């Protein structure tokens, strides 16, 4: 099944946009570029018919057995969700609408003089399945900049938070408060038709993404700086404005890092905690602000969004114990010491992947280009050469290869963003892209309220009594 899925995804990626969507050269003839909302509206009727056809032909077919171990084991590998933006393959890693990370690094529009993909283009791809033009991406940058300002009461709410309140708690609080101006909540209260749910959901999704840099920047400046924020530049792209709000906008390499970081962290299938939580809460017709605030609370958990912090702490301990340029033998011994103490090697292994995470590879290539002589980067590379062999020898991991978290903290630290508690906020800004895109499609397709069946241990035991 995995092999056939990979083949289908590769085939989809090879098709020209017009072949995949039925949308040909008419767009190129228009003098004014089509907006994202206009294109989304065109795609909805076709996708509704596509889903109807899939259900008519395959609706009664089974994916396979559900085992008791899966019920007790966090539903690992259980096929139970529809998520269109990305599919994770154990061998290849993530594909965004059929495109690998190297694919999108080449295909998506870049900023003038830049080399990394603009996240605006990735959002267009997640929502439509199409690679946008540079003009369409510039239009999206401008629209998000125009929507970026926060209501004054939300600014005051953030400003009144004590600096001791975790940045993720402040982030979730502020996003929840944006519900005050939700277009979907207002339309629903006025009796909007179900077939039109997608319209105000799209507006909320656009507002949500647009306002996240202002929220993140305000939290960062309040907790770690003087609380003073520059204005949003209507002529800058999303990542440039975020970087400026954080105080790093003058460093073009950091801006490029943000473009890459947001793009590769934007979506990772629908089964991870933050993505699934947003979809689940959205299925109750909670607006995108409430849904994504719930996602953020899941992301704040140590087993989901804090992994890159744990990697950095582990590296710092290694550096303190072994020095800045340890030998391979010393690193190998340190890794064995971590394992023998009953701990895991942070940043290694993944619930699904069985190869090196391509998001790790993208960050490694960025580091090789921009910070090849950084001691921390060299240590990360040294661990990459040694840790998988140790983990295989120890039999401690089904996947002994590094994931995305093994690298991101080192890059942020290099450019001066060393406040580790804030790292998950950047992850949250990124993850909004995937969640928001799926919420739009869920409302467009009339997705129902999620309600899986649960069993007690007693019921499971009784169910299989007397059976082999």
């Amino acid at each position: 099944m995995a092999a056939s899925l990979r083949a289908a995804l590769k085939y989809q990626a090879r098709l020209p946009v017009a072949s995949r969507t039925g949308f040909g050269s008419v767009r190129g003839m228009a003098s004014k570029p089509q907006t994202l909302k206009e294109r989304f509206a065109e795609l909805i009727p076709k996708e509704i018919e596509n889903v109807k056809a899939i259900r008519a032909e395959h609706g009664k077919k089974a994916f396979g057995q559900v085992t008791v171990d899966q019920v007790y084991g966090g539903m690992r590998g259980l096929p139970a969700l529809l998520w269109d933006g990305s599919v994770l393959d154990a061998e290849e890693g993530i594909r965004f609408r059929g495109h690998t990370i190297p694919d999108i690094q080449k295909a998506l529009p870049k900023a003038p003089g830049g080399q990394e993909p603009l996240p605006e283009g990735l959002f267009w791809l997640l929502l439509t399945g199409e690679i946008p033009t540079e003009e369409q991406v510039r239009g999206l940058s401008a629209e998000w900049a125009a929507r970026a300002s926060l209501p004054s009461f939300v600014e005051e709410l953030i400003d009144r938070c004590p600096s001791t309140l975790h940045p993720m708690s402040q982030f979730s609080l502020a996003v929840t408060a944006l519900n005050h101006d939700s277009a979907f909540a207002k339309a629903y209260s006025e009796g909007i038709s179900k077939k039109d749910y997608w319209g105000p959901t799209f507006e909320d999704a656009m507002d949500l993404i647009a306002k996240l840099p202002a929220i993140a920047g305000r939290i960062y400046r309040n907790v770690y700086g003087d609380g003073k924020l520059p204005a949003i530049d209507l002529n800058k792209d999303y990542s440039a404005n975020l970087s400026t709000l954080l105080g790093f906008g003058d460093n073009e390499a950091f801006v490029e890092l943000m473009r890459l970081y947001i793009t590769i962290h934007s979506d990772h299938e629908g089964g991870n905690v933050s993505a699934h939580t947003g979809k689940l809460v959205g299925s109750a017709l909670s607006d995108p602000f409430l849904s994504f605030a719930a996602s953020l609370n899941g992301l704040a958990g140590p087993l989901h969004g804090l992994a890159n912090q744990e990697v950095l702490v582990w590296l710092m301990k290694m550096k303190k114990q072994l020095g800045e340029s340890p030998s391979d033998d010393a690193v190998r011994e340190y890794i064995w010491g971590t394992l023998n103490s009953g701990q895991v090697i942070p940043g290694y292994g993944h619930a699904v992947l069985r190869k090196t995470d391509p998001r790790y590879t993208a960050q490694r290539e960025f580091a090789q280009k921009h910070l090849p002589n950084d001691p921390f980067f060299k240590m990360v590379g040294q661990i990459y050469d040694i840790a998988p062999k140790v983990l295989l020898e120890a039999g401690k991991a089904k996947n002994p290869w590094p994931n995305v978290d093994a690298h991101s903290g080192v890059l942020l630290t290099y450019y001066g963003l060393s406040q580790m508690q804030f790292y998950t906020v950047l992850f949250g800004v990124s993850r909004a892209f995937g969640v928001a895109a799926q919420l739009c499609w869920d409302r467009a397709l009339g997705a129902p309220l999620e309600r899986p069946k649960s069993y007690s241990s007693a019921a499971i035991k009784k169910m299989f009594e007397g059976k082999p």
Side-chain angles (χ1 to χ4, degrees):
M1 180 178 176
S4 60
L5 176 61
R6 284 196 294 274
L9 291 171
K10 288 176 181 175
Y11 175 72
Q12 180 190 22
R14 286 197 301 266
L15 289 174
V17 169
S19 298
R20 292 201 305 270
T21 64
F23 189 63
S25 60
V26 175
R27 177 172 52 187
M29 296 167 57
S31 58
K32 184 179 179 182
Q34 192 175 38
T35 67
L36 180 55
K37 188 173 186 178
E38 290 168 346
R39 183 62 185 135
F40 183 47
E42 285 184 345
L43 292 171
I44 290 171
K46 300 174 187 176
E47 187 59 19
I48 288 173
E49 292 306 311
N50 181 45
V51 171
K52 284 181 180 178
I54 291 171
R55 296 190 69 174
E57 184 175 356
H58 305 294
K60 302 304 180 184
K61 297 175 184 177
F63 281 101
Q65 287 186 324
V66 177
T67 67
V68 173
D69 275 345
Q70 285 178 302
V71 173
Y72 280 101
M75 298 187 289
R76 290 288 175 90
L78 187 67
L81 295 171
L82 177 67
W83 194 270
D84 287 311
S86 62
V87 174
L88 181 59
D89 181 86
E91 301 298 324
E92 286 191 331
I94 197 68
R95 279 182 176 265
F96 302 107
R97 292 285 190 163
H99 297 271
T100 65
I101 285 178
D103 289 341
I104 63 171
Q105 286 181 293
K106 293 177 183 176
L108 290 180
K110 282 97 178 156
Q115 297 180 340
E116 300 299 339
L118 289 167
E120 291 90 327
L122 194 278
F123 184 68
W124 190 292
L125 174 64
L126 290 176
L127 194 64
T128 68
E130 301 169 356
I131 299 293
T133 66
E134 287 195 16
E135 195 174 14
Q136 288 167 332
V137 166
R138 303 288 177 256
L140 193 51
S141 294
E143 183 170 0
W144 282 350
R147 291 173 178 254
S149 63
L150 299 177
S152 57
F153 83 92
V154 175
E155 293 181 337
E156 183 180 351
L157 187 65
I158 298 170
D159 292 346
R160 290 177 67 87
C161 288
S163 60
T164 52
L165 183 63
H166 196 286
M168 281 299 287
S169 299
Q170 297 187 46
F171 198 18
S172 172
L173 181 67
V175 170
T176 299
L178 292 175
N179 153 266
H180 181 273
D181 296 327
S182 166
F184 180 83
K186 183 176 185 293
Y188 187 82
S189 69
E190 294 173 352
I192 187 174
S193 170
K194 185 176 181 179
K195 66 180 177 59
D196 296 323
Y197 282 174
W198 72 268
T201 299
F202 177 89
E203 294 299 326
D204 282 353
M206 292 285 280
D207 278 343
L208 169 68
I209 293 173
K211 296 179 189 303
L212 294 182
I215 294 174
R218 200 170 198 92
I219 294 169
Y220 185 80
R221 298 262 186 162
N222 283 353
V223 175
Y224 306 112
D226 59 9
K228 298 177 181 178
L229 270 81
I232 291 285
D233 188 332
L234 297 178
N235 297 311
K236 293 285 184 68
D237 64 82
Y238 189 82
S239 304
N241 271 316
L242 173 62
S243 300
T244 298
L245 289 166
L246 295 174
F248 299 90
D250 292 336
N251 189 330
E252 185 56 34
F254 181 87
V255 176
E256 279 281 272
L257 174 61
M258 284 297 97
R259 291 168 183 147
L260 175 65
Y261 182 99
I262 294 172
T263 297
I264 65 176
H265 284 82
S266 63
D267 203 33
H268 214 233
E269 273 197 345
N272 64 76
V273 171
S274 54
H276 184 199
T277 300
K279 181 178 176 69
L280 170 64
V281 175
S283 79
L285 297 186
S286 299
D287 63 66
F289 303 112
L290 297 179
S291 300
F292 189 63
S295 294
L296 290 173
N297 290 332
L299 189 64
L303 294 184
H304 189 15
L306 302 189
N308 61 353
Q309 298 177 42
E310 294 174 349
V311 170
L312 206 52
V313 169
W314 186 73
L315 285 172
M316 288 177 174
K317 289 180 179 177
M318 178 187 287
K319 181 181 176 183
K320 184 177 180 181
Q321 182 174 324
L322 305 181
E324 199 165 84
S325 302
S327 67
D328 287 355
D329 287 341
V331 170
R332 187 177 296 105
E333 186 177 340
Y334 187 86
I335 293 171
W336 272 113
T338 300
L339 293 174
N340 291 334
S341 67
Q343 301 175 62
V344 299
I345 306 303
Y348 279 73
H350 191 274
V352 178
L353 284 169
R354 295 296 174 262
K355 292 286 181 67
T356 297
D357 191 335
R359 299 173 299 172
Y360 172 93
T361 304
Q363 292 178 105
R364 178 171 173 79
E365 291 171 351
F366 182 94
Q368 288 171 330
K369 188 186 305 179
H370 294 279
L371 48 139
N373 298 316
D374 177 62
F376 257 164
F377 167 59
K378 288 183 176 181
M379 189 176 288
V380 166
Q382 197 174 9
I383 294 166
Y384 179 47
D385 291 334
I386 297 169
K389 298 172 185 175
V390 173
L391 289 167
L392 285 172
E393 186 179 343
K396 292 289 187 180
K398 293 180 180 178
N399 170 27
W401 306 105
N403 59 52
V404 67
D405 299 307
H407 220 309
S408 54
V410 170
L411 293 174
L412 295 170
T413 300
Y414 175 81
Y415 288 108
L417 208 166
S418 57
Q419 297 86 359
M420 288 186 285
Q421 282 198 326
F422 191 78
Y423 290 175
T424 318
V425 174
L426 293 179
F427 196 166
V429 172
S430 311
R431 189 48 57 94
F433 285 56
V435 173
Q438 189 59 44
L439 287 172
C440 290
W441 273 113
D442 282 352
R443 301 293 76 78
L445 297 174
L449 178 71
E450 280 192 25
R451 182 60 170 87
K453 175 63 179 168
S454 63
Y455 291 94
S456 66
S457 289
I460 292 172
K461 188 176 180 180
K462 185 177 181 180
M463 189 183 303
F464 295 104
E465 276 181 359
K467 297 180 180 178

